[in-house]
Amino acid sequence: MHASKGDRLVMHGRVVGKHDRIVEIVEVLGPNGTPPFRVRAENGHETIVSPGPDCMVDHRTAPEPA
């Protein structure tokens, strides 16, 4: 799993009725874009995660020049 600052990490709910959590990657702590990642939730809470197999990275694309 590789990510960059600004990508989103989608953590799928593993229990029926539990929604996916989506957090923003604010810092990549591993070498060459690998985990662990420092992430920020919508409420501003930051934590360090090492994503498991139930997670995926939503790569943010750079905006196209006008």
Side-chain angles (χ1 to χ4, degrees):
M1 176 179 294
H2 289 68
S4 300
K5 181 178 176 180
D7 289 345
R8 295 187 307 172
L9 182 65
V10 180
M11 296 178 274
H12 297 291
R14 294 185 282 169
V15 179
V16 174
K18 194 82 156 161
H19 298 286
D20 293 350
R21 286 185 51 212
I22 301 174
V23 294
E24 178 186 0
I25 297 173
V26 294
E27 184 179 2
V28 177
L29 301 171
N32 301 318
T34 59
F37 306 126
R38 180 180 306 277
V39 299
R40 181 181 304 131
E42 285 185 9
N43 65 3
H45 178 77
E46 289 189 11
T47 191
I48 296 174
V49 297
S50 291
D54 57 340
C55 299
M56 63 174 262
V57 174
D58 177 15
H59 298 283
R60 307 303 285 181
T61 57
E64 295 182 15

